[in-house]
Amino acid sequence: MKKLEGAFPVLITPMHQDGEVNYGGLKQNIEHFINEGVAGIVVNGSTGEFVSLTKEEKFKAAEAAVEQVNERIPLIVGTAAETTKDAVEYTKHAEAAGADAALLINSYYAHPKNHEIYEHFKTVAESVSLPIMIYNNPFTSGVDIDTETILKVGRDVDNITHIKESSGEIRKVRDITRQGNGFIKTFCGSDDLALESFLVGATGWISVAGNIAPRLATDLFNCVQEGNIGRAWELYDKLLPLCNYIEGSGKYVQIVKRAMDLQGLAGGPSRKPRLPLTDEEDAQLKEILDSLLVTEK
């Protein structure tokens, strides 16, 4: 099993202007991230518009990613679905395709109770043998999973090994990390709490900002690991305007796709109902990108 640790950009699904998935662009982007030295990547996540993709598109994206990565870095495939049955199918496909782990959230429309979420995670995880990273994001799923539910399913199911914690509550990251020591590890899922999460023990970051500034995100994590906290704060201060924009905009997918286009990478449009950035939003993004480019020079 590959070690899941560090900053993992959660990739967009690039598209052509007609809205069809650009699988060649996905492969080119993956090569870019590998060259930038990222610890790993995630496909078919929220930033990848998984709810806007057909089953066939999700499967083909996962297969394309596995082929391009070619075991060079860890690859996590998002396998979220509204029903447990579909999540089992998607997770089995990820395992068969060659993913190193699956990222699994609770049903996002049914708003299940904690005991239902426990059964969902347990059923899906026990259908496969690959590591499962469960995912708590009350902003998109409508449910803030109890800390005890997260700890219980991590204790009870051997291959539930990680959690992406996106509640925006740093005390939750702390408590899961400390109380789950030995059986579940935390990944930051809130871009504007990355360094804070590392300082309370998170061992990784599923990073939207890492699409746009992969080296800065990677260097931030590495500085913490090396104990260079002063330098980590310097890097974090440079990244925070981008992180805050992503978290506060409500248009994180469009922001990343536009930033990819501006950097000569594969981005393209998002599927409706998502609309492009306004002129004002686009200007703000360009200002942030210019600041990051100056920083990296």
Side-chain angles (χ1 to χ4, degrees), residues 241 244-246 249 277-290:
N244 289 334
Y245 187 42
I246 287 169
S249 67
L277 300 181
T278 65
D279 290 344
E280 183 179 351
E281 291 165 339
D282 196 60
Q284 186 175 354
L285 173 61
K286 289 177 180 176
E287 184 177 342
I288 292 170
L289 288 178
D290 287 344

Side-chain angles (χ1 to χ4, degrees), residues 59 62-67 75 77 90-100:
F59 285 4
E63 292 161 6
V66 168
E67 180 180 2
L75 168 65
V77 173
Y90 297 168
T91 307
K92 284 183 173 180
H93 175 269
E95 181 174 51
D100 296 296

Side-chain angles (χ1 to χ4, degrees), residues 1-9 37-42 72-76 100-101 131 133 161-163 177 181 184-188 197-198 201-207 214 217-227:
M1 184 183 83
K2 287 189 173 67
K3 189 174 185 180
L4 304 180
E5 181 178 284
F8 284 51
V38 300
I41 59 170
V42 183
R72 289 177 289 172
I73 57 174
L75 168 65
I76 301 175
D100 296 296
M133 179 182 291
T161 57
H162 293 75
I163 177 166
T177 301
N181 185 33
I184 193 165
K185 295 182 178 180
T186 51
F187 264 54
C188 172
S197 296
F198 299 153
T203 56
W205 177 17
I206 304 296
S207 175
T218 299
D219 289 348
L220 171 60
F221 178 81
N222 291 341
C223 282
V224 176
Q225 294 299 104
E226 295 161 3

